[in-house]
């Protein structure tokens, strides 16, 4: 088993070495750019333990919990050790958060934003390249200068290596002898571990025999599986996760780029991710992608597990359901409110679904 | 007396039920009580009662369902009420169909396939609006006893539209209607309609397979039945013991696996 | 999938819309104009309705009647409310605005029935009620306007929200027609050169795509003309709204909500210019006679966010009952304030600027500034912020904006929880209570002065 340090510890160690910390909201951004500037990106996916009432003083109750919890966490001092906050423009809720931070909350950290385009046309690609340059420019202005050119490439190669390690973890997941919870703890350590540590950890993981195939195989889709107890619950219900379409999981399996221009290369990587509504991918493309994952993994059902009020996900559910069920894969949509514990109702729905497909 | 072959218990949010079946799966014994906050004690009491009636239970398969199912330590298995309801109803009906179960805490629509298999299901979302509680709360405001709700609603010759489906909003709508001197009956009818429309949305989302069955505590409410028939154009069937279907299904699962 | 244009189709359109339709609708309008009283219009607190609304209704009915017969006669585009339609218009498309259609369903109290169709198909109640109304109408064919034409193309522009893109992806899947996207990066502080270049390039790329569907070449001369009409109508619309600066104000923001349909739906057509000219005339008569839209105007308010379509008249009356006139709204203003950016001599560049800068594509601080400016220019006493459960881009930020007015500017402000199109997320009783309490605060604050 791998001993994963806590986020806190990782932050402290990185700072000890003179590094700075960037808190990053979901979903997409160029890790390598931040590393080149000496920042360790530490992602904030609405920590479940935040006190939401604080966020409620800035955002209405119909904002998703990821955003409300993140704002609450910030206001309660949870991000005090960070130097900057990056709020990617992922959806209308994160747009609101970024804007409210910049215009009203004025946290002590520098607030930066990033617009990922919603298409995959040449115009979108070129825009993203320019947008990355802008972000780089803002970082230079703020930190007082660009890093040496070598630093860019070093960071890019390192992140590409880490993403290949992540892809290998997914490929070998059945051979690792890990529970789902352990597996996702390691996958999700990419959210805060320096790439070099992630790469080392992946190397340490021994491949064994294929795990015994008890449990109903399911595909888990959604933004983020919180709280992580979810995996224990799924296991006691007699199922196991054999594939995912999580925004914090395979939706960020980035490939290595080809270009010799660092910005083009970063854009290539971001563009290589699987379909995702927050990138504007057509629904049929998403459905085909999921069918493919189902075929490869042998999943018997798809559990879409999403935080309430997540519009990008909600719009896709009925058609995904229709398209997947037409091919004989049952789909169940369950929404949850981000908190320390899972509600009984949420659990009952999941369990009934597992009984149904089992 | 027939021999006990399996027991099922349904620890729900408002009531707790236990059912015994014989070898053939026939329901031969049951108990039903308001839910005790100390569920474990209640379960023990129920088991004692069963023991007194049938003798030692050691070899009798025992399955638990309902929200409190995990608290039943003696049970060999615990299964969600969705699967149990499907089993129970299928055994009565002997054919596929759609079950609507409106409970105090949540409501569900279950499409039952061959053998009592769950083909698909839907549950109300988090708020209380789609559940029996919606009626209870709002009816409480009108001082109508729970048992008389359905009858009173059906005696209305007109109907007030209650547009809000949020319990809090609906309550304030009712207050304002009462303040404007509207009689209780049309308001109640509107309230039932509002709940039924939510249920119908759930039925549509999974697709209706005839016949349509109604179970759960609300099944005894004749207005719900009548309006559900009006809105779906389907005859609504009631199982013999609408409140016991979960526990009955649990016992049947025990019998099969026992 | 899509219908081709035929002579028969064109003929049918001519007969139904331009001959029969024109006559019946004109007749209906004349009848409406003669009616001075309207059911539910309380004359003791409000001036009689604007006469021009009959004409406006006629215009909009003709537009929807045209839609009914459009397939087979014209190519049809469904577009989002902030979309750059000038190119499509110049190519002769019939343009349908699902958002406006949804609002119309709201005003006619049809949303619950129609949106339920979408909800029954699995679309969550937590998504925008415009989207649910539209998807419901598509799935069931239910609409108060008879029939909606099938689209040949969809045009979504993200300058109002991301929701429209999620929603149009659903439509694209349903109709199996191309979806043209104009992606407009959100402006947190100011627009960057690469943002403008990006939008301009998408507009350029859109031309051949649209030409292909239209089956003809775009004439730049015609495009310039459309831009000119758009610009002129937008300026006139601004003028109409600015007349509310008079005391007492001759119009209310609710009049604005009712009369904004043409600037949204028919922008680029000369009829709109004509209509708003006449509207100005009617308003100016009111001003010269000293007629206020609210009979005893004591307080002047600002409305932020979309209206509550299914409670327009009720809201107007409730406020008027307190002697309050909601004279201005950020929402109606949004359709005029970009007029100066439009420039027919540089149609694409100026369009890129214009379509990047709607209120909803700019930061929450910018919206506060716009509101402050309106409070000054329209001499307002208070602000009503409609917290619209359906619309995050418009609503997020309102808590801080309200806080600024109340605690820093000393201007009473009310956060009113509702939904622009879904009556199920609204309670009269609660809204009335809050408004009553707000009016008491307003009274107190003026006594303190
Ligand atoms: S959960 Fe959904 S709505 Fe919330 S931040 Fe993520 S993408 Fe946006
Ligand atoms: S109401 Fe808001 S969320 Fe809905 S379409 Fe309009 S801008 Fe988008």
């Amino acid at each position: 088993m791998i001993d994963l340090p806590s986020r806190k510890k990782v932050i402290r160690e990185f700072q000890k070495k003179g590094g700075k910390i960037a808190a990053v909201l979901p979903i997409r951004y160029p890790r390598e750019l931040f590393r080149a500037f000496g920042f360790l990106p530490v992602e904030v996916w609405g920590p479940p333990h935040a006190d939401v009432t604080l966020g409620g003083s800035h955002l209405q109750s119909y904002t998703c919990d990821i955003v409300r919890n993140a704002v609450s966490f910030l206001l309660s001092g949870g991000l005090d050790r960070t130097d900057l906050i990056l709020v990617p423009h992922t959806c209308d809720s994160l747009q609101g958060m970024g804007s409210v931070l910049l215009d009203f909350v004025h946290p002590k950290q520098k607030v930066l934003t990033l617009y990922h385009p919603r298409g995959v046309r040449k115009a979108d690609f070129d825009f993203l390249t320019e947008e990355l340059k802008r972000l780089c420019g803002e970082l230079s202005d703020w930190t007082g200068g660009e890093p040496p050119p070598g630093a860019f490439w070093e960071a890019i190669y390192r992140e590409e290596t880490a993403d290949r390690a992540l892809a290998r973890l997914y490929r070998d997941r059945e051979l690792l002898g890990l529970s789902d919870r352990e597996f996702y703890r390691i996958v999700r350590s990419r959210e805060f571990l320096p790439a070099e540590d992630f790469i080392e950890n992946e190397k340490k993981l021994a491949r064994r025999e294929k795990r015994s195939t008890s449990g109903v195989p399911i595909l888990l889709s959604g933004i983020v599986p919180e709280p992580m107890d979810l995996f224990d619950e799924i296991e006691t219900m007699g199922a196991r996760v054999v594939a995912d379409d999580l925004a914090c999981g395979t939706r960020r399996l980035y490939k290595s780029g080809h270009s010799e221009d660092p910005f083009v290369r970063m854009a290539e990587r971001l563009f290589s991710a699987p379909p995702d509504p927050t990138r504007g991918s057509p629904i049929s493309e998403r459905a085909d992608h999921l069918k493919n994952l189902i075929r490869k993994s042998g999943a018997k059902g798809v559990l879409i597990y999403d935080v309430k009020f997540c519009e990008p996900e909600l719009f896709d559910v009925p058609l995904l359901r229709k398209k997947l069920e037409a091919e004989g894969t049952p789909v169940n949509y369950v929404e949850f409110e981000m908190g320390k514990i899972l509600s009984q109702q949420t659990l009952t729905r999941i369990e009934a679904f597992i009984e149904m497909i089992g | 007396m027939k021999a006990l072959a399996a027991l099922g218990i349904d620890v729900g949010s408002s009531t707790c039920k236990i059912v015994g079946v014989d070898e053939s799966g026939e329901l031969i014994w049951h108990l039903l009580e308001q839910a005790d906050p100390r569920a474990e004690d209640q379960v023990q009491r129920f088991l004692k009662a069963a023991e007194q009636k049938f003798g030692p239970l050691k070899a009798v398969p025992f399955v638990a369902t309902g929200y409190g199912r995990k608290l039943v330590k003696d049970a060999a298995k615990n299964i969600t009420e969705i699967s149990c309801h499907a089993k129970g109803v299928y055994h009565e009906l002997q054919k596929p169909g759609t079950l609507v179960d409106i409970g105090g805490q949540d409501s569900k629509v279950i499409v039952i396939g061959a053998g009592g298999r769950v083909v698909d299901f839907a549950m109300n979302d988090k708020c209380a609006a789609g559940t029996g509680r919606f009626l209870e709360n709002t009816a409480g405001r009108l001082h109508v006893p729970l048992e008389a709700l359905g009858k009173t609603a059906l005696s209305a010759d007109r109907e007030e539209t209650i547009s809000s489906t949020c319990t809090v909003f609906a309550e304030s709508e009712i207050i304002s209607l009462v303040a404007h001197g509207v009689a209780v009956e049309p308001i109640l009818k509107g309230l039932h309609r509002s709940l039924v429309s939510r249920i119908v949305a759930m039925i549509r989302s999974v697709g209706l397979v005839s016949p349509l069955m109604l179970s759960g505590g609300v099944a005894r409410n004749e207005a719900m039945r009548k309006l559900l028939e009006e809105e779906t154009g389907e005859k609504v069937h009631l199982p013999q013991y609408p409140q016991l279907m979960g526990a009955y299904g649990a016992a049947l699962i025990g019998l099969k696996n026992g | 999938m899509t219908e081709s244009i035929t002579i028969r189709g064109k003929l049918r359109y001519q007969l139904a819309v331009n001959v029969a339709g024109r006559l019946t609708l004109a007749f209906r309008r004349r009848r409406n104009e003669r009616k001075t009283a309207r059911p539910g219009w309380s004359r003791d607190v409000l001036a009689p309705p604007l006469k021009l609304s009959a004409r406006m209704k006629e215009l909009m009915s003709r537009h929807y009647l045209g839609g009914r017969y459009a397939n087979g006669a014209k190519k049809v585009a469904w577009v989002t409310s902030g979309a750059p339609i000038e190119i499509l218009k110049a190519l002769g498309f019939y343009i349908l605005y699902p958002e406006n259609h949804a609002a119309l369903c709201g005003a006619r109290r049809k949303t619950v029935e129609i949106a339920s169709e979408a909800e029954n198909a699995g679309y969550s109640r937590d998504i925008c009620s415009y989207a649910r109304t539209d998807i419901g109408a598509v799935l069931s064919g239910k609409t108060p306007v008879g029939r909606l034409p099938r689209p040949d193309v969809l045009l979504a522009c993200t300058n109002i929200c991301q929701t429209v893109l999620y929603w149009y992806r659903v439509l694209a899947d349903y109709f199996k027609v191309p979806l043209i996207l104009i992606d407009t990066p959100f402006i947190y502080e100011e627009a960057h050169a690469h943002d403008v270049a990006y939008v301009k390039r998408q507009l350029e790329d859109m031309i051949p795509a649209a030409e292909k569907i239209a089956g003809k070449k775009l004439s730049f001369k015609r495009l310039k003309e459309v831009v000119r009409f758009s610009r002129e109508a937008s300026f006139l619309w601004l003028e109409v709204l600015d007349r509310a600066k008079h005391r007492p104000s001759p119009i209310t923001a609710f009049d604005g909500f009712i009369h904004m349909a043409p600037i949204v739906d028919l922008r680029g057509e000369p009829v709109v210019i004509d209509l708003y000219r006449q509207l100005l005339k009617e308003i100016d008569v009111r001003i010269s006679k000293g007629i206020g839209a609210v009979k005893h105007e004591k307080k002047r308010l600002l409305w932020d966010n979309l209206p509550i379509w299914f409670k327009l008249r009720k809201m107007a009356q409730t406020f008027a009952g307190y002697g309050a006139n909601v004279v201005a709204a950020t929402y109606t203003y949004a359709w005029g304030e970009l007029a100066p950016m439009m420039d027919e001599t540089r149609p694409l560049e100026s369009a890129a600027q214009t379509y990047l800068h709607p209120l909803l594509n700019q930061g929450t601080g910018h919206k506060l500034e716009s509101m402050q400016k309106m409070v000054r220019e329209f001499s307002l006493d208070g602000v009503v912020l409609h917290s619209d459960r359906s619309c995050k881009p418009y609503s997020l930020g309102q808590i801080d904006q309200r806080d600024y007015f109340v605690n820093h500017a000393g201007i009473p402000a009310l956060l009113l929880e509702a939904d622009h199109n879904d009556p199920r997320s609204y309670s009269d009783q609660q809204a009335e209570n809050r408004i009553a309490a707000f009016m008491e605060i307003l009274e107190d604050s003026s006594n303190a002065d």
Side-chain angles (χ1 to χ4, degrees):
Chain A
M1 219 4 254
I2 282 181
D3 191 24
L4 281 177
S6 69
R7 275 178 155 77
K8 265 208 190 98
K9 187 155 173 234
V10 172
I11 292 176
R12 239 181 287 126
E13 308 256 290
F14 198 81
Q15 283 174 329
K16 242 191 252 154
K17 285 185 261 167
K20 287 166 286 179
I21 306 294
V24 182
L25 276 291
I27 298 175
R28 304 178 186 288
Y29 65 102
R31 287 192 177 102
E32 43 271 47
L33 185 62
F34 286 88
R35 287 303 302 278
F37 277 93
F39 286 90
L40 175 70
V42 174
E43 300 175 14
V44 183
W45 293 74
H49 48 85
D51 167 13
V52 278
T53 51
L54 291 170
S57 60
H58 294 279
L59 300 168
Q60 285 95 328
S61 58
Y62 42 82
T63 317
C64 86
D65 283 350
I66 292 201
V67 168
R68 292 215 335 153
N69 284 27
V71 173
S72 303
F73 193 55
L74 166 71
L75 295 176
S76 66
L79 299 179
D80 280 358
R81 304 202 58 140
T82 64
D83 304 280
L84 83 79
I85 303 175
L86 174 72
V87 189
H89 186 292
T90 302
C91 57
D92 291 333
S93 295
L94 278 167
Q95 168 186 306
M97 171 174 172
S99 186
V100 165
L101 289 194
L102 280 167
D103 293 339
F104 294 106
V105 177
H106 306 296
K108 68 178 178 90
Q109 297 89 334
K110 169 89 178 164
V111 176
L112 291 174
T113 61
L114 172 71
Y115 193 89
H116 190 299
R118 267 55 176 184
V120 289
R121 305 156 297 188
K122 187 76 180 47
D124 302 306
F125 185 84
D126 292 346
F127 168 77
L128 181 57
T129 313
E130 291 302 314
E131 179 71 352
L132 293 172
K133 283 187 194 155
R134 176 196 56 86
L135 187 59
C136 176
E138 287 197 27
L139 279 167
S140 325
D141 289 349
W142 183 57
T143 56
E146 242 183 66
F152 270 119
W153 284 108
E154 198 188 311
I156 290 176
Y157 293 139
R158 204 168 35 208
E159 295 300 333
E160 290 186 347
T161 312
D163 282 338
R164 280 195 298 272
L166 179 66
R168 272 198 303 278
L169 278 182
Y170 270 107
R171 188 195 62 200
D172 297 343
R173 67 188 295 166
E174 297 292 314
L175 307 175
L176 299 172
L178 298 175
S179 69
D180 288 337
R181 185 183 184 130
E182 288 163 342
F183 178 75
Y184 281 100
R185 270 187 64 221
I186 296 173
V187 165
R188 294 194 58 200
S189 69
R190 187 92 178 88
E191 292 165 20
F192 60 92
L193 269 191
E196 50 277 27
D197 297 354
F198 185 85
I199 297 166
E200 279 314 305
N201 282 344
E202 190 267 340
K203 279 192 200 142
K204 276 190 245 156
L205 278 172
R207 270 57 172 176
R208 302 170 208 183
E209 261 156 59
K210 214 168 148 94
R211 85 168 147 166
S212 70
T213 47
S214 72
V216 186
I218 60 168
L219 185 154
L220 184 63
S221 178
I223 299 289
V224 65
E226 285 286 5
M228 292 286 274
D229 295 346
L230 174 72
F231 291 108
D232 302 335
E233 296 285 354
I234 290 179
E235 194 181 325
T236 32
M237 289 169 190
R240 61 201 176 98
V241 179
V242 292
D244 81 61
D245 167 51
L246 294 165
C248 67
T250 64
R251 277 191 228 173
R252 295 200 303 182
L253 269 181
Y254 300 120
K255 300 203 175 81
S256 301
H258 302 289
S259 172
E260 279 165 23
D261 174 309
F263 294 98
V264 175
R265 181 121 170 182
M266 287 188 260
E268 281 173 351
R269 280 169 44 64
L270 289 170
F271 260 50
S272 71
D276 181 335
T278 67
R279 294 173 57 207
S281 315
I283 300 175
S284 54
E285 229 169 71
R286 274 198 84 192
D288 290 342
H289 173 68
L290 288 179
K291 284 179 201 162
N292 203 9
L293 287 177
I294 292 165
R295 209 166 27 244
K296 279 199 202 141
S297 65
K300 285 180 73 178
V302 175
L303 177 65
I304 306 181
Y305 179 78
D306 267 314
V307 52
K308 192 169 163 67
F309 297 117
C310 177
E311 287 143 348
E313 295 280 294
L314 281 174
F315 271 91
D316 282 11
V317 171
L319 282 172
L320 283 183
R321 208 181 141 129
K322 200 168 132 204
K323 288 174 195 290
L324 297 181
E325 295 194 337
E327 308 226 329
T329 308
V331 176
N332 195 28
Y333 170 76
V334 178
E335 68 184 10
F336 70 100
E337 278 171 28
M338 178 86 70
K340 264 176 277 190
I341 50 166
L342 284 150
S343 87
Q344 268 303 323
Q345 217 213 26
T346 306
L347 289 174
T348 301
R349 282 190 201 206
I350 299 175
E351 192 167 0
F353 179 64
I354 291 168
E355 286 168 0
M356 179 181 124
I357 60 175
Chain B
M1 190 182 66
K2 288 176 183 156
L4 180 72
L7 278 173
I9 193 161
D10 178 354
V11 188
S13 63
S14 47
T15 54
C16 184
K17 314 107 202 175
I18 189 165
V19 157
V21 296
D22 69 8
E23 204 63 49
S24 70
E26 196 181 322
L27 197 158
I28 53 171
W29 174 75
H30 78 267
L31 282 178
L32 183 155
E33 279 181 13
Q34 287 306 310
D36 187 326
R38 284 155 317 205
E40 275 118 322
D41 296 356
Q42 193 166 27
V43 173
Q44 285 312 319
R45 264 203 322 277
F46 275 19
L47 289 176
K48 269 249 167 63
E51 214 154 20
Q52 260 167 23
K53 186 147 177 92
F54 299 103
L57 301 176
K58 255 214 153 73
V60 180
F62 178 38
V63 173
T65 186
Y67 266 149
R69 64 184 178 279
K70 303 237 162 96
L71 299 172
V72 187
K73 300 280 177 317
D74 300 308
K77 236 184 157 164
N78 61 66
I79 308 274
T80 64
E81 50 274 35
I82 317 264
S83 304
C84 290
H85 270 101
K87 269 283 177 312
V89 167
Y90 183 81
H91 201 84
E92 266 215 34
L93 211 63
Q94 291 298 329
K95 63 173 173 185
T98 305
L99 174 70
V100 174
D101 180 86
I102 307 172
Q105 188 149 328
D106 53 23
S107 303
K108 35 200 170 290
V109 174
I110 308 167
V111 181
I112 305 167
R117 207 170 47 84
V118 177
V119 176
D120 203 354
F121 67 93
M123 281 169 90
N124 66 290
D125 51 35
K126 264 197 109 76
C127 63
T131 72
R133 191 125 320 156
F134 176 71
L135 279 186
E136 281 170 36
N137 280 359
T138 36
R141 289 240 151 239
L142 300 170
H143 303 296
V144 178
L146 212 51
E147 313 79 59
L149 269 185
K151 235 199 204 96
T152 317
L154 284 182
S155 71
D157 46 7
R158 342 175 264 118
E159 186 173 329
E160 280 299 328
T161 320
I162 310 286
S163 61
S164 311
T165 37
C166 157
T167 320
V168 180
F169 278 3
E171 265 191 58
S172 76
E173 264 189 88
I174 291 169
I175 297 169
S176 117
L177 286 169
V178 172
H180 284 89
V182 179
V184 168
E185 293 79 7
I187 302 181
L188 262 184
K189 189 159 180 197
L191 261 181
H192 280 76
R193 178 84 61 191
S194 163
L195 174 54
V196 166
S197 73
R198 280 223 115 152
I199 301 287
V200 169
M202 295 198 310
I203 298 180
R204 296 256 161 79
S205 74
V206 293
L208 176 83
V209 177
S210 305
L212 188 60
M213 309 269 295
L214 184 61
S215 72
V218 177
R220 286 173 310 176
N221 177 325
E222 51 273 69
M224 284 302 291
R225 251 175 5 235
K226 176 106 194 313
L227 296 187
L228 202 53
E229 288 183 344
E230 259 179 53
E231 298 277 324
T232 57
E234 286 276 329
K235 178 142 181 46
V236 169
H237 302 262
L238 288 194
Q240 202 181 352
Y241 302 102
Q243 277 181 288
L244 299 181
M245 281 302 113
Y248 181 46
L252 291 172
I253 291 174
L255 183 65
K256 191 171 143 228
N257 296 338
Chain C
M1 269 329 245
T2 65
E3 213 169 315
S4 50
I5 297 176
T6 59
I7 299 198
R8 237 184 97 213
K10 280 190 179 170
L11 207 62
R12 195 178 52 192
Y13 182 92
Q14 279 301 334
L15 281 175
V17 182
N18 292 338
V19 183
R22 185 183 295 258
L23 288 172
T24 357
L25 291 173
F27 172 75
R28 233 189 267 163
R29 164 180 45 89
R30 279 193 291 275
R31 212 181 44 199
N32 279 340
E33 281 169 345
R34 280 196 298 272
K35 265 196 250 165
T36 45
R38 280 220 199 137
W41 194 278
S42 46
R43 298 284 291 269
D44 45 337
V45 292
L46 285 167
L50 287 162
K51 284 203 201 65
L52 202 84
S53 53
R55 176 134 253 139
M56 202 243 1
K57 252 203 194 129
E58 178 190 14
L59 197 62
M60 292 312 294
S61 303
R62 260 195 78 195
H63 174 61
Y64 280 108
L65 184 67
R68 211 163 155 165
Y69 296 95
N71 289 138
K74 289 170 173 229
K75 288 292 173 185
V76 175
W78 286 24
V79 307
T80 60
S81 65
I85 44 84
E86 283 74 14
I87 293 170
L88 295 179
K89 199 132 246 174
L91 280 164
F93 278 85
Y94 174 86
I95 297 179
L96 181 90
Y97 286 80
E99 288 155 68
N100 177 270
H101 172 253
L104 190 122
C105 296
R108 304 228 184 131
R109 317 258 156 87
K110 291 270 186 255
T111 345
V112 174
E113 187 193 342
I114 299 176
S116 299
E117 297 283 346
E119 290 154 17
N120 292 347
Y123 291 91
S124 161
R125 282 212 184 164
D126 291 336
I127 65 177
C128 168
S129 48
Y130 271 171
R132 271 181 286 136
T133 309
D134 181 53
I135 295 173
V138 167
L139 294 177
S140 67
K142 287 183 186 165
T143 159
V145 301
R147 177 181 170 266
L148 295 177
R150 253 189 84 87
D152 298 288
V153 65
L154 301 161
L155 174 63
C157 181
T158 55
N159 61 2
I160 48 170
C161 62
Q162 294 297 321
T163 283
V164 288
L165 177 56
Y166 310 140
W167 161 13
Y168 276 54
R169 286 157 69 249
V170 171
L171 296 179
D173 197 275
Y174 183 80
F175 287 115
K176 307 275 180 271
V177 295
L179 164 59
I180 297 180
L181 165 69
I182 303 293
D183 192 13
T184 47
F186 185 75
I187 303 175
Y188 291 93
E189 280 156 336
E190 57 189 37
H192 311 104
H194 69 286
D195 298 331
V196 182
Y198 175 43
V199 178
K200 177 165 175 255
R201 182 156 162 205
Q202 293 176 80
L203 290 170
E204 285 162 0
D205 291 349
M206 167 184 168
I207 296 174
E211 282 178 338
K212 202 173 139 214
I213 297 161
K216 61 172 136 178
K217 278 256 163 269
L218 175 71
S219 137
F220 267 80
K221 206 171 128 224
R222 174 79 183 113
L223 178 64
K224 285 180 177 177
E225 185 183 48
V226 173
V227 174
R228 202 176 65 234
F229 290 151
S230 265
R231 179 181 150 96
E232 202 173 334
S234 303
F235 267 117
L236 280 165
W237 177 240
L238 256 191
E239 257 187 85
V240 167
L241 296 177
D242 279 342
R243 291 293 200 265
K245 289 177 181 166
H246 282 270
R247 239 179 220 273
S249 166
I251 50 169
T252 68
F254 303 101
D255 292 322
F257 291 138
I258 296 172
H259 291 87
M260 70 187 284
I263 189 67
V264 180
D265 284 37
L266 303 174
R267 175 166 97 240
E269 289 180 26
V271 275
V272 186
I273 298 171
D274 191 48
L275 184 88
Y276 288 146
R277 280 216 182 103
Q278 294 184 45
L279 183 56
L280 270 181
K281 259 193 218 142
E282 188 181 346
I283 293 173
D284 285 341
V285 171
R286 276 194 178 184
I287 293 178
S288 66
K289 292 189 184 158
I291 299 175
V294 166
K295 285 211 168 145
H296 314 282
E297 181 187 298
K298 286 187 291 189
K299 296 281 171 197
R300 296 160 63 83
L301 305 175
L302 175 68
W303 179 277
D304 180 49
N305 215 329
L306 281 84
I308 304 171
W309 287 114
F310 51 92
K311 287 286 170 192
L312 270 189
R313 191 176 305 158
K314 167 118 192 172
M315 282 285 148
Q317 261 155 26
T318 307
F319 283 107
Y322 293 101
N325 186 353
V326 183
V327 294
T330 51
Y331 186 59
T332 45
Y333 223 67
W335 300 98
E337 63 190 349
L338 298 180
M341 283 192 177
M342 298 182 190
D343 180 354
E344 68 194 73
T345 61
R346 302 175 306 129
L348 294 184
E349 289 87 338
S350 69
Q353 285 286 0
T354 313
Y355 287 103
L356 251 177
H357 281 91
L359 186 69
L360 280 184
N361 207 41
Q362 299 195 54
T364 48
H366 174 264
K367 194 175 92 183
L368 176 61
E369 277 164 28
S370 311
M371 288 197 280
Q372 285 170 277
K373 190 161 160 254
M374 291 177 86
V375 167
R376 274 194 312 273
E377 290 180 355
F378 287 83
S379 336
L380 305 178
D381 306 294
V383 180
V384 180
L385 301 118
H386 163 208
S387 169
D388 183 348
R389 194 179 183 279
S390 268
C391 186
K392 294 191 177 83
Y394 222 134
S395 306
L396 300 194
Q398 282 178 323
I399 296 181
D400 286 294
Q401 288 154 357
R402 175 181 173 279
D403 182 69
Y404 174 85
F405 280 119
V406 175
N407 295 320
H408 298 276
I411 292 175
L414 167 72
L415 196 68
L416 188 66
E417 294 283 346
D419 187 286
H420 66 272
N421 229 29
D422 193 338
R424 293 165 301 183
S425 305
Y426 168 89
S427 149
D428 262 336
Q429 186 83 5
Q430 247 193 28
E432 273 167 27
N433 254 328
R434 292 194 185 172
I435 293 171
F438 175 61
M439 295 314 300
E440 285 162 14
I441 294 171
L442 263 179
E443 279 304 317
D444 283 355
S445 73
S446 56
N447 291 342
D449 290 344

